[in-house]
Amino acid sequence: MCLSSDIFVKLKNAVIDGDVDEASSLAGEVLNSGVDPLEAIRRGLNVGIKEVGDKFGNMEIFLPELMMSGEAMKVAVNILKRGIPKKSVVSLGKIVFGTVEGDIHSIGKNIVVTLLEAAGFDVYDLGENVPVETFIRKVKELKPDLLGLSALMTTTVTCQRDVIEQLKAENLRGGVKVIVGGAPTTPKWAEEIGADGWAENASVAVQKVKELLEVGG
Amino acid sequence: MLGVLNKRPLDILSRGEVKEIHEKTLELLENVGCAFHHKEVLDILEEHGAYVDYEKQIAKLPSYLVEDALRKAPRTYRIYDKTQKEYCKFGERRFVSRLTEGRAYVVDPFKKTRKKATLSDLKKGIMLGEALSNTLMNNANVTPQDVEPPSMRDVYMWKYLFEYASKPVGGAWTFEKDSAIYILKMAEKVAGGKRELRSKPIIRWFMCECTSPLTYSKTALDVLLIYAREGIPIMFAPMVMAGGTGPITLVGDVMQQNAENLAGIVATELINPGTPVTYMSASSILDMKTTLFCYGAPEQALVTLASIQLARNYHLPNAVMANHTDALIPGPQAAFEKTIFNLSSILSGTDEFGGIGFLGEDGFSFEQAVIDDEIAGGLLRIADGFEVSEETLALDVIEKVGPGGNFLTQKHTRDHFKSEQWFPSLINRSRWEEWRGKGSKNIVEKAHERIDELIEKYEPNPLPKDIQKELDEIVKLAKKQLK
């Protein structure tokens, strides 16, 4: 077996095993050995994460294993990016995510962010308690393909509507897809406020994002 | 309204284990601390000796602050009805039962649909709460989704409770500081003044939420300041998700939750020493297959048992978030999950349990409320335990009846049967033919038929006209301001 396919298999396994250290060291090896980092992502990391995603969907592996695989993937990609010319398309799309103002709940959003990163998206997580103005500012600055809004409380979920209204007011609405989620949200709510999509849990979220951005498969 | 004394609670932890958990809790609070997203609260904590990092908004609490708070928090307290004549008392293991609070949807178990809860569901819920014989405290069963703006919803919940409830109220939601101000104003009017409200509280705050791990939000602390300053009892219930916002190992969650409760109680007792508090546990597992936070998992019952034991050791009034389930409709899953939780609640020796009418995913069902009330009767029977005496051992009666005899005709049997046996009204005790003869109904169908019957029993107990007028004025003012 030649060096590159050997290392692709090792990268795949590092992701499947959720071995952050191994993934990180292998990524370094790729950069040093002259193997194409884009290929390493495509034929190594992506193969691993797809297998992990499928297994989670079949309930063969569980959330902590999925999250660790996502972490390993994220770490490796961040290292490999250094060896890729900026012009090349590495990610499937750019996403900005955050929990709305007044709400400090994060874990649901964090699971979705990790899964999206693992799936190959570039995600900018603005954190929690994010005011409308900050979402707008970041959309203008980063020009993402998609904006994700999370809310856990019935008292804060209305901020999702406020963000969408403000996007419209500043003529930004057409340039970005919006997806909403969190316990008080429903498909009806998403429709009512004019969001492009809604997801009930993290796995569905990744699927919906891929559909909305017409990528991935 | 005193409930049933739970004479012999189960201690699931050994004394040594309780001590170890307590010591690790103190260590956690001293070295890791708790985040309070509120400068005024951080100032108060720092003033009294906490080590505050204002940038991270974290306060590290030396153990003497915890010990002081445990000394100041009352061991018992009462919640009165709106006329301040009857009360429920906490801190004595009297297993007081409560209607559930603030659910967003009303479920139809037959059509298997749900609709957003409305003001009319709120009124109906309160009226039902009055009629349920095993439910000692009434409550705002739903959050009325038809009230606009949303910031007025808790104001309306309390308005309706003051107007329609006669029983003491278990503790309805207050979501934000602006509504807290108006709810307090209404309570003061109904009680007859600030002092009267403080000495005989007719409201309680369900609840000061901790966002695990170890974080109190600005919203929660804004309300805490308003209520604690008036001595309004505060309920705490961290909801750690094992493996997500707390350790995967359950006793680690018991300990983290303990720290979260105590941190909130430290803040409360520093804001206003002597403010009554209730220690609760809402922690459970994050299902690692489906990512659902589970309201019906057996793990929740286990964590609760340990948590309530800790609360009892601290001599803190406590409550169990009982009747939790992930079932979306009344039925076998709801029955199983509610019962394992409720049974462990009794065994835990708690002061009170709530959730009557609760269903998964923010659901409420009138049928479920009727069923839960019935089941509460059975639980209370278990909680009642045994009274061992000459009379109850009945040796003399057995002697009189003798081998092969019959107890049915004994005076002793006639004298005691009503207090010794629980008489359910929904639970089937018929045999097959009789059951078929009556229409082959299951418990959900029977509960459904019972609803209107119970609501018909409702006796209005309106507020005096002048107080009602003042309440209406307060609500009008609130509407103007809370837009």
Side-chain angles (χ1 to χ4, degrees):
Chain A
M1 237 204 261
C2 74
L3 175 65
S4 48
S5 47
D6 195 27
I7 209 169
F8 295 160
V9 170
K10 284 186 179 163
L11 278 167
K12 176 189 90 150
N13 288 333
V15 166
I16 290 173
D17 295 339
D19 192 336
V20 174
D21 293 334
E22 176 72 353
S24 149
S25 111
L26 286 168
E29 230 182 277
V30 166
L31 292 180
N32 289 334
S33 65
V35 173
D36 183 1
L38 262 176
E39 283 292 288
I41 292 177
R42 203 172 60 83
R43 293 168 60 187
L45 300 175
N46 279 353
V47 176
I49 204 69
K50 177 153 197 324
E51 192 174 313
V52 166
D54 290 342
K55 281 197 167 143
F56 182 69
N58 293 332
M59 294 196 183
E60 282 170 52
I61 63 162
F62 302 94
L63 189 59
E65 292 151 323
L66 180 67
M67 297 293 281
M68 282 310 295
S69 294
E71 281 299 304
M73 173 91 182
K74 190 162 73 171
V75 157
V77 167
N78 282 336
I79 294 172
L80 290 172
K81 263 189 191 167
R82 298 180 213 154
I84 299 172
K86 286 222 154 82
K87 275 190 285 180
S88 306
V89 174
V90 180
S91 88
L92 290 179
K94 193 188 283 185
I95 299 176
V96 169
F97 229 107
T99 301
V100 299
E101 185 165 15
D103 200 324
I104 57 173
H105 295 94
S106 61
I107 195 166
K109 165 185 68 74
N110 293 349
I111 296 172
V112 175
V113 166
T114 297
L115 294 192
L116 286 171
E117 284 174 329
F121 293 96
D122 250 341
V123 186
Y124 296 83
D125 184 350
L126 303 180
E128 301 75 52
N129 193 15
V130 181
V132 175
E133 309 79 62
T134 306
F135 279 119
I136 302 299
R137 188 164 39 90
K138 287 295 178 182
V139 165
K140 285 183 182 161
E141 181 191 317
L142 297 166
K143 298 190 175 44
D145 302 296
L146 184 132
L147 177 64
L149 305 170
S150 172
L152 195 85
M153 308 196 284
T154 52
T155 46
T156 57
V157 75
T158 46
C159 294
Q160 291 177 340
R161 187 199 333 245
D162 297 340
V163 173
I164 292 176
E165 289 303 307
Q166 194 58 31
L167 285 170
K168 283 194 205 153
E170 300 203 26
N171 276 321
L172 297 164
R173 183 68 186 93
V176 64
K177 298 275 187 213
V178 180
I179 191 170
V180 296
T185 61
T186 58
K188 246 197 196 160
W189 167 251
E191 202 182 325
E192 194 183 310
I193 64 174
D196 296 296
W198 170 80
E200 196 168 47
N201 64 46
S203 310
V204 174
V206 175
Q207 219 23 67
K208 283 281 166 75
V209 168
K210 285 182 177 173
E211 281 168 23
L212 283 174
L213 299 184
E214 292 169 23
V215 290
Chain B
M1 300 281 167
L2 285 184
V4 164
L5 174 63
N6 186 321
K7 294 181 203 121
R8 200 143 292 135
L10 172 73
D11 281 344
I12 194 165
L13 300 163
S14 71
R15 291 176 72 121
E17 286 163 347
V18 169
K19 187 162 182 285
E20 188 176 351
I21 292 172
H22 174 70
E23 280 168 9
K24 281 267 170 353
T25 302
L26 293 179
E27 201 182 319
L28 176 64
L29 289 172
E30 265 192 33
N31 294 313
V32 178
C34 182
F36 294 88
H37 290 180
H38 201 298
K39 186 177 184 299
E40 198 180 340
V41 173
L42 289 171
D43 287 342
I44 293 171
L45 288 165
E46 186 178 62
E47 198 188 329
H48 288 89
Y51 300 99
V52 174
D53 179 336
Y54 280 90
E55 208 187 295
K56 296 194 178 132
Q57 298 187 294
I58 292 179
K60 294 186 179 168
L61 310 177
S63 5
Y64 70 82
L65 282 182
V66 176
E67 284 151 21
D68 277 352
L70 289 171
R71 257 199 302 277
K72 291 170 184 163
R75 288 183 171 204
T76 67
Y77 73 91
R78 302 174 183 190
I79 295 292
Y80 286 80
D81 73 298
K82 67 187 175 195
T83 65
Q84 293 171 311
K85 296 203 184 80
E86 305 278 331
Y87 61 86
C88 288
K89 192 171 176 190
F90 311 104
E92 288 185 332
R93 304 202 312 264
R94 286 198 175 271
F95 210 51
V96 171
S97 51
R98 223 170 57 223
L99 191 68
T100 194
E101 52 283 298
R103 311 304 284 162
Y105 296 92
V106 176
V107 172
D108 181 325
F110 307 108
K111 295 197 185 121
K112 295 186 183 165
T113 56
R114 66 176 187 175
K115 63 168 188 65
K116 286 191 187 163
T118 62
L119 277 172
S120 122
D121 293 317
L122 174 60
K123 184 172 176 187
K124 186 172 164 185
I126 298 171
M127 288 167 70
L128 182 67
E130 286 301 310
L132 293 174
S133 52
N134 295 313
T135 303
L136 294 182
M137 300 191 93
N138 211 332
N139 219 330
N141 58 323
V142 295
T143 302
Q145 307 289 313
D146 55 343
V147 170
E148 291 294 332
S151 45
M152 280 296 289
R153 287 173 190 169
D154 44 3
V155 176
Y156 268 90
M157 283 150 84
W158 274 108
K159 175 180 190 284
Y160 271 44
L161 284 166
F162 290 134
E163 289 169 359
Y164 300 114
S166 298
K167 291 179 179 173
V169 173
W173 283 98
T174 297
F175 296 120
E176 285 169 321
K177 75 166 188 248
D178 289 334
S179 27
I181 293 170
Y182 291 102
I183 292 167
L184 200 55
K185 279 195 175 44
M186 288 197 289
E188 283 166 5
K189 287 286 177 230
V190 175
K194 272 186 197 281
R195 186 165 284 177
E196 287 77 356
L197 180 61
R198 185 183 296 224
S199 66
K200 291 187 172 181
I202 60 174
I203 68 171
R204 184 161 71 152
W205 182 28
F206 183 97
M207 53 160 169
C208 186
E209 287 192 83
C210 176
T211 306
S212 307
L214 304 158
T215 306
Y216 282 94
S217 69
K218 181 166 192 308
T219 310
L221 295 171
D222 275 336
V223 179
L224 179 66
L225 281 165
I226 292 171
Y227 279 151
R229 284 186 171 139
E230 297 302 324
I232 302 300
I234 313 287
M235 302 178 87
F236 291 90
M239 185 176 259
V240 181
M241 304 196 289
T245 57
I248 187 70
T249 43
L250 298 175
V251 78
D253 301 309
V254 171
M255 199 260 299
Q256 180 182 304
Q257 176 173 257
N258 191 40
E260 292 169 352
N261 267 329
L262 292 178
I265 294 170
V266 164
T268 305
E269 299 306 325
L270 289 177
I271 292 169
N272 185 7
T275 301
V277 294
T278 289
Y279 178 123
M280 302 192 284
S281 161
S283 302
S284 185
I285 59 167
L286 184 65
D287 184 306
M288 293 304 183
K289 262 193 184 166
T290 64
T291 75
L292 183 75
F293 172 74
C294 298
Y295 280 89
E299 289 85 350
Q300 182 169 67
L302 198 55
V303 169
T304 300
L305 272 168
S307 298
I308 297 297
Q309 184 180 352
L310 292 177
R312 283 191 283 109
N313 270 271
Y314 291 136
H315 299 289
L316 285 173
N318 57 77
V320 170
M321 312 274 283
N323 278 302
H324 275 184
T325 177
D326 294 310
L328 302 173
I329 54 169
Q333 179 174 340
F336 162 67
E337 293 183 333
K338 282 167 181 272
T339 297
I340 52 168
F341 201 179
N342 296 347
L343 192 61
S344 46
S345 303
I346 308 175
L347 298 175
S348 74
T350 188
D351 296 324
E352 56 174 312
F353 68 110
I356 289 175
F358 179 111
L359 282 175
E361 212 176 312
D362 231 347
F364 175 81
S365 149
F366 292 98
E367 290 83 2
Q368 191 65 59
V370 174
I371 294 170
D372 289 342
D373 179 75
E374 166 103 325
I375 292 173
L379 298 168
L380 290 167
R381 180 65 193 89
I382 299 177
D384 216 356
F386 295 109
E387 187 202 308
V388 179
S389 67
E390 276 211 44
E391 178 70 11
T392 57
L393 286 168
L395 181 57
D396 55 335
V397 180
I398 301 171
E399 197 176 325
K400 207 194 290 180
V401 168
N406 167 5
F407 288 79
L408 281 169
T409 52
Q410 289 295 311
K411 182 175 184 297
H412 183 267
T413 305
R414 205 167 60 241
D415 286 346
H416 294 290
F417 83 94
K418 281 190 178 156
S419 55
E420 279 294 309
Q421 267 192 20
W422 172 52
F423 293 94
S425 48
L426 289 180
I427 295 281
N428 176 61
R429 295 263 174 101
S430 312
R431 291 192 179 75
W432 191 263
E433 289 307 320
E434 189 186 338
W435 175 70
R436 294 237 321 159
K438 287 194 179 149
S440 314
K441 294 185 183 137
N442 66 36
I443 197 171
V444 184
E445 289 163 332
K446 286 198 223 171
H448 180 76
E449 286 168 3
R450 189 64 62 79
I451 297 169
D452 288 338
E453 225 177 272
L454 287 167
I455 291 181
E456 238 138 73
K457 290 198 180 147
Y458 175 74
E459 280 173 31
N461 183 9
L463 294 163
K465 284 210 167 81
D466 57 326
I467 299 196
Q468 180 66 53
K469 222 173 155 224
E470 304 215 60
L471 241 63
D472 292 333
E473 284 303 306
I474 292 170
V475 172
K476 235 194 238 164
L477 219 71
K479 251 197 190 143
K480 272 202 202 130
Q481 207 232 309
L482 295 182
K483 266 196 184 339

